[in-house]
Amino acid sequence: MQSALAHPLFSQLSRLLEKEMGLYYPAKSWGDLERRIAAAAPALGTVDAESCIRQLLSASLTRQQLEILAGHLTVGETYFFRETGSFDVLEECILPELMRARARSGRQLRIWSAGCCTGEEPYSIAILLDRLSQHTADANATILATDINPAFLEKAAKGLYGEWSFRATPPWIKERYFKRRKNGQFEILPHIRKRVTFSYLNLAEEIYPDIINGADAMDVIFCRNVLMYFSPDSVMKIGKNFYRSLVNGGWLILSPVELGRDLFPQFKQTTFPTAIFYQKATIAEPSVTIDDHSTWTPVLQQDAANSQAQALPLFLLGEDEKMLRFSESVATEHLIERVAMPDQAAEPRGAASKEDDETFEMLCDTARSYANLGKLAEAASWCEKAIAVNKLNPAARYLLATINQELGQSTTAMQLLRKTLYLDPDFVLAHFALGNLCMSHDRTGEAERHFDNALALLSLRPYDELLPESNGLTARRLTDIITSARSSILPVSLDREAQ
């Protein structure tokens, strides 16, 4: 279908959509784009496609405009256990080894469903984990599910599905993990729903990996049937961010139609009998060749890999490891200088000197570097060193709280966050983190109070202001994230009212 509108308009719009959303509309698809924009026009306050396009091009896109566009430009076609070959490999080869390795290390298994649509994919992962953990209450795993379309996230958080979502799913899955409603829909069981955290995230933005939004130190990233709508340049940029979001040895799982060595050169392509995965392998890890998955042992011995990496010369390390080694050496140098420095009699006891501030920042930076690489024990150790240098600065306690949360130590994390707020009651991110923790423990009333506190503090800040300790997060972006997080409280509250 050819568009009747002027060529320059669609050329500019396609560039805007690629920049802001990653979506790729070449000239041959402009007719389809015109049809979709015309459908979105009333919601965007315009009467037709042309006036809508001109309005979109007149200023930076707002969050509301992005949400409306996502609702009309993204496709919500998915179902439970789609592309079963990938799930077969996960069940037989990947997840059992990962779960054993994480049990030995005490670290949570972390999985991200990027572009989760209406939730069938992350819930399929949660069901698989439940089966592998033999229905224990805690599989020591977290599943982050993100999407750019708020309508998809709202539906996913409710966990209600029709027959069409089970069109290629074994009947026993529906019988064992869903409850039939009177209206013919099926509701996912609460213990499965609780394993998944839904959140808004635009893959085209440079906001990951980041310990703040949880898109860091991942063991497995699913991003299936999403990148096919992106331009090659956007795919390569997202691929680099996914690589940084994964721990060493972590896995990237794409749809078969999205595979391509040229677009993901930093990954090692690993072939299984029923699927092809990408693995983040460093020089410190042996290469893996798969001929028969029954004789294969994945490279998942993280501690051994880390020890081996420490012995490597700097020029053999990856970029992340190089930066970490540099950050650690500088922080250690500052710490040694501080210890060797004689006490200043004129300085009041408890006040931080300029040298202390510099050392504190270096120690915190080193802790963040370790955390973003998934080396959480080391990150926690550097946080403790920072706290010893300056007990009154809340930043290190907040960072240590987020690390403890990722380690599954939620009680310790909550205690640290409360100490953070004692030192600084206006620490927005601490209010947000406490809200998330309370929500995960079904303390919805307390969670809402913390979210309200955070939103009240954010309302006093300019939208484009960068928040302290947020790694580039703006007040507007955190407001959007909190609004999205609060939407998942609603289904739980409604369930309780119905009981």
Side-chain angles (χ1 to χ4, degrees), residues 285-328:
E285 298 165 337
S287 60
V288 179
T289 303
I290 305 301
D291 295 316
D292 178 3
H293 74 274
S294 64
T295 62
W296 174 68
T297 301
V299 183
L300 297 172
Q301 303 298 328
Q302 193 69 36
D303 292 338
N306 290 344
S307 298
Q308 196 172 3
Q310 290 296 324
L312 286 174
L314 193 60
F315 69 90
L316 286 180
L317 296 174
E319 289 302 315
D320 287 340
E321 292 283 356
K322 289 179 183 178
M323 291 303 296
L324 177 57
R325 187 77 64 81
F326 175 76
S327 176
E328 181 178 340

Side-chain angles (χ1 to χ4, degrees), residues 37-296:
I37 291 296
L44 290 166
T46 56
V47 295
D48 55 29
E50 181 173 359
S51 59
C52 184
I53 294 172
R54 293 188 184 280
Q55 175 183 279
L56 294 173
L57 295 174
S58 65
S60 299
L61 295 182
T62 65
R63 166 67 186 271
Q64 184 180 18
Q65 288 175 322
L66 282 171
E67 290 183 353
I68 293 171
L69 288 170
H72 288 83
L73 301 180
T74 57
V75 179
E77 177 62 24
T78 187
Y79 49 89
F80 286 97
F81 288 91
R82 184 179 186 179
E83 296 170 3
T84 56
S86 295
F87 285 97
D88 289 342
V89 173
L90 276 175
E91 183 172 9
E92 295 172 16
C93 301
I94 305 297
L95 288 181
E97 290 290 342
L98 277 171
M99 292 170 74
R100 284 192 288 269
R102 295 299 167 254
R104 289 192 296 269
S105 67
R107 189 174 79 81
Q108 284 187 314
L109 175 64
R110 293 171 55 76
I111 300 174
W112 178 13
S113 172
C116 67
C117 194
T118 46
E120 286 90 338
E121 178 178 87
Y123 285 140
S124 295
I125 300 168
I127 290 171
L128 184 56
L129 283 172
D130 186 76
R131 291 171 58 194
L132 290 172
S133 60
Q134 299 179 344
H135 310 282
T136 57
D138 183 13
N140 197 28
T142 63
I143 302 171
L144 173 67
T146 65
D147 204 278
I148 193 175
N149 189 328
F152 290 168
L153 292 171
E154 183 179 356
K155 175 177 171 57
K158 291 178 180 177
L160 292 172
Y161 298 94
E163 289 283 1
W164 189 239
S165 292
F166 302 93
R167 57 188 180 274
T169 307
W172 66 267
I173 295 286
K174 185 166 58 177
E175 294 166 3
R176 185 177 300 176
Y177 289 101
F178 293 82
K179 178 181 179 181
R180 184 186 289 269
R181 288 285 193 88
K182 292 181 180 179
N183 61 2
Q185 288 189 306
F186 295 85
E187 180 182 15
I188 196 148
L189 295 183
H191 78 281
I192 298 297
R193 185 169 64 187
K194 284 175 61 177
R195 292 190 177 205
V196 184
T197 300
F198 292 98
S199 181
Y200 176 92
L201 192 142
N202 182 352
L203 292 174
E205 294 183 326
E206 296 284 349
I207 57 174
Y208 60 99
D210 193 344
I211 196 171
I212 303 303
N213 57 31
D216 69 300
M218 291 291 169
D219 296 289
V220 181
I221 297 177
F222 277 75
C223 189
R224 303 184 305 165
N225 303 292
V226 175
L227 299 181
M228 65 176 70
Y229 301 106
F230 286 39
S231 70
D233 287 344
S234 295
V235 171
M236 292 193 73
K237 182 176 72 172
I238 292 169
K240 290 178 181 178
N241 287 336
F242 280 161
Y243 186 86
R244 295 172 54 231
S245 294
L246 286 164
V247 299
N248 290 341
W251 297 91
L252 173 62
I253 302 175
L254 306 175
S255 171
V257 301
E258 297 168 315
L259 299 174
R261 291 183 182 274
D262 293 341
L263 295 177
F264 306 95
Q266 61 272 62
F267 286 92
K268 177 177 178 59
Q269 195 175 94
T270 304
T271 303
F272 296 88
T274 58
I276 297 175
F277 289 177
Y278 289 102
Q279 186 179 29
K280 177 178 178 177
T282 66
I283 296 294
E285 298 165 337
S287 60
V288 179
T289 303
I290 305 301
D291 295 316
D292 178 3
H293 74 274
S294 64
T295 62
W296 174 68

Side-chain angles (χ1 to χ4, degrees), residues 334 341 347 351-361:
H334 272 256
M341 191 179 301
E347 187 177 354
S353 66
K354 180 180 179 181
E355 291 78 9
D356 281 347
D357 288 341
E358 291 178 355
T359 303
F360 180 87
E361 291 300 326

Side-chain angles (χ1 to χ4, degrees), residues 471-487:
N471 197 20
L473 196 67
T474 64
R476 177 174 184 171
R477 172 56 62 211
L478 184 57
T479 300
D480 293 340
I481 292 172
I482 293 173
T483 303
S484 176
R486 291 194 62 166
S487 68

